[in-house]
Amino acid sequence: MLRRILIVVLAIVVLAGGGFLAWAWHDELPAEPRRDASAYDPAVVAKGASLAAIGSCAVCHLAKNSPSFAGGYPVETPFGVIYGSNITPDRDTGIGTWSPAAFRRAMHDGVDREGHHLYPAFPYDHFTGATDTDLDAVYAYLMTREPVRHDVPAPQLTFPLNIRLAAAAWKLLFLRHGEFVPDKSQSPEWQRGAYLAETFGHCSACHSPRNALGAEKRDEKYAGGIAEGWIGPALNAASPAPAPWTAESAFNYLRRGFDRAHGHVAGPMQEVVEHLRQANEGDVRAMATYIASLNGVAAPDAAAKAEQAVKNATSRQWPIPGRETTGSGGSSTTGLDGAAIFAGACATCHHDGGRLPISRPVALGLSSAVNGADPRNLLQIVLGGIHPAPNERGAIMPAFSGTLTDPQIVALADYVREHFSGKPKWNDTGTALEAIRRGKNS
């Protein structure tokens, strides 16, 4: 009897394995003859450029000292490092031999022209919902870029994840195919924004928690995530922002990188905003409308609550009348006086009524980095500062990584949290700083 059971179990395993291999197998698609850039409709190319900007494609498909879209950017994951591929029309190292069908297959199914499974660091779990027409526009845009011969390093992943079939198994568990269908009860602008945010924008990729296998937790969508060592704050009802997002404030943030009720962009969002400035303005406004709806606050109520939050935060600006700048409860677990450090390093810019020849920063009490449950983003900003892209105008904050000691940075962060947010102090500021120093991104 035991022998029969084992035979049945073995047969089931063999059949299941064979079925999985048959499902996972993809043929190599024919190479596409090279077409001249002039063969593509300029209007379609322009549309593709805007969609590529919404997707921030150049962020992961660009490395330091390499031309645009030539690949090589190291994407660090809990499972190892994956390098952004070369998506220029170079025929040897890029996608110059790919047909529109091959490109659509990569975007919809995560399978390249040769039939290899792509790792989900490439967010095809979002791009799978894009329409063929839009994907063809992005294809036309990429095929009219300058071909660049650039070999990209192979992924550095642990066994067995370095086997491409592991990506196929991941898809079997988590990839849901099909064109994105927005809620038809919403306005056309909301529907457009939902489509763009959920497909090309892949916003929830950074703003949602992930499970042990790296897939987004669908039941906690937009509840906050981690990207490149930064916290992607929750955008739903769990948002730490004191001011609810409105369509206008979300547009200001996404398009201009600043909103009076939410402050300046920092970290990975800076690159996102740089690209959204190149996208169609109407599409960015549509995305803002959708994102503002995620917190569940009606538009009129959100605007009123945002205005009240600005007033509340401004009333907590430094210094408060009657409060001394030192020796007044600003000490942290380090024993240092955070208020004194703030007075010397920060108050010149971060106080009410500043008269610097630049725009005064938003009230710290409005910052998600200050109000969030995790000190990581505030520490990252203190360490690295905020700097505009080359040849761009924007907020400037100096980096204090080499100016303040780690105990001083911890004391400063604890003071800012306690004084400006009115929320309970963080208990793990020092541990979070150590993790950042070690380059731990999760």
Side-chain angles (χ1 to χ4, degrees):
M1 178 64 70
L2 179 60
R3 182 180 179 184
R4 290 177 180 175
I5 293 174
L6 290 175
I7 290 174
V8 170
V9 171
L10 180 60
I12 293 173
V13 170
V14 170
L15 289 173
F20 171 72
L21 290 175
W23 171 83
W25 175 263
H26 291 272
D27 291 327
E28 179 177 350
L29 298 180
E32 178 84 349
R34 177 68 187 275
R35 297 177 64 189
D36 189 85
S38 62
Y40 296 94
D41 183 345
V44 174
V45 172
K47 177 183 178 182
S50 180
L51 293 172
I54 289 172
S56 299
C57 301
V59 172
C60 289
H61 294 282
L62 173 68
K64 187 176 181 180
N65 300 322
S66 72
S68 187
F69 299 115
Y73 180 83
V75 180
E76 296 186 12
T77 76
F79 317 105
V81 181
I82 298 172
Y83 298 89
S85 57
N86 182 341
I87 55 172
T88 72
D90 180 68
R91 294 185 67 81
D92 295 320
T93 62
I95 60 172
T97 60
W98 288 33
S99 64
F103 185 76
R104 288 195 296 267
R105 184 169 77 169
M107 299 288 277
H108 281 154
D109 304 327
V111 178
D112 69 11
R113 188 186 72 81
E114 289 79 14
H116 303 135
H117 288 276
L118 301 173
Y119 290 107
F122 174 55
Y124 47 76
D125 54 333
H126 287 270
F127 300 151
T128 190
T131 66
D132 287 352
T133 301
D134 283 348
L135 292 180
D136 287 348
V138 176
Y139 172 84
Y141 169 66
L142 294 176
M143 287 300 166
T144 54
R145 301 308 92 197
E146 187 69 27
V148 178
R149 183 177 181 84
H150 181 225
D151 288 304
V152 172
Q156 305 296 315
L157 299 173
T158 56
F159 179 84
L161 299 178
N162 58 346
I163 300 173
R164 292 280 177 174
L165 279 177
W170 188 93
K171 294 177 196 177
L172 188 63
L173 293 171
F174 303 114
L175 182 60
R176 300 294 180 266
H177 295 87
E179 189 172 308
F180 178 79
V181 180
D183 183 353
K184 298 297 184 181
S185 68
Q186 299 285 351
S187 69
E189 184 178 52
W190 185 98
Q191 293 180 52
R192 176 65 175 169
Y195 166 74
L196 292 171
E198 298 297 341
T199 58
F200 290 101
H202 58 286
C203 302
S204 65
C206 292
H207 290 276
S208 299
R210 294 179 178 269
N211 62 25
L213 295 178
E216 293 177 38
K217 295 181 179 179
R218 293 191 182 91
D219 57 345
E220 298 180 46
K221 194 169 185 178
Y222 290 111
I226 298 176
E228 301 179 49
W230 291 70
I231 301 296
L235 297 177
N236 58 12
S239 170
W245 287 101
T246 65
E248 189 62 27
S249 65
F251 175 78
N252 289 336
Y253 198 81
L254 294 174
R255 184 76 170 191
R256 304 186 178 112
F258 173 79
D259 178 72
R260 63 186 291 268
H262 294 274
H264 294 276
V265 295
M269 269 303 295
Q270 284 185 287
E271 291 182 306
V272 173
V273 170
E274 287 171 25
H275 289 95
L276 287 177
R277 286 176 179 147
Q278 305 166 32
N280 178 278
E281 181 175 329
D283 282 346
V284 179
R285 285 196 178 277
M287 292 173 65
T289 296
Y290 171 66
I291 289 170
S293 74
L294 297 174
N295 58 24
V297 181
D301 293 337
K305 290 180 179 179
E307 191 62 35
Q308 186 60 50
V310 171
K311 292 180 181 178
N312 293 342
T314 303
S315 70
R316 295 189 63 85
Q317 284 286 64
W318 185 95
I320 292 179
R323 181 185 177 100
E324 301 295 331
T325 59
T326 61
S328 55
S331 63
S332 73
T333 54
T334 64
L336 296 173
D337 192 334
I341 298 170
F342 182 89
C346 312
T348 300
C349 296
H350 291 282
H351 75 288
D352 195 22
R355 291 294 183 268
L356 293 178
I358 56 174
S359 61
R360 183 168 58 83
V362 73
L364 287 172
L366 292 169
S367 170
S368 294
V370 175
N371 285 276
D374 189 305
R376 198 171 332 192
N377 285 4
L378 180 59
L379 292 171
Q380 291 276 28
I381 293 171
V382 172
L383 288 170
I386 298 176
H387 309 280
N391 303 317
E392 292 282 346
R393 299 177 62 185
I396 297 176
M397 172 179 159
F400 290 94
S401 178
T403 305
L404 300 177
T405 66
D406 282 5
Q408 287 175 324
I409 291 173
V410 171
L412 173 62
D414 285 344
Y415 168 74
V416 170
R417 164 70 171 187
E418 187 175 7
H419 178 73
F420 291 99
S421 74
K423 294 185 177 180
K425 67 181 299 184
W426 291 311
N427 296 320
D428 56 351
T429 312
T431 302
L433 180 58
E434 290 176 7
I436 293 172
R437 292 292 199 190
R438 292 196 309 269
K440 186 176 180 181
N441 292 331
S442 60

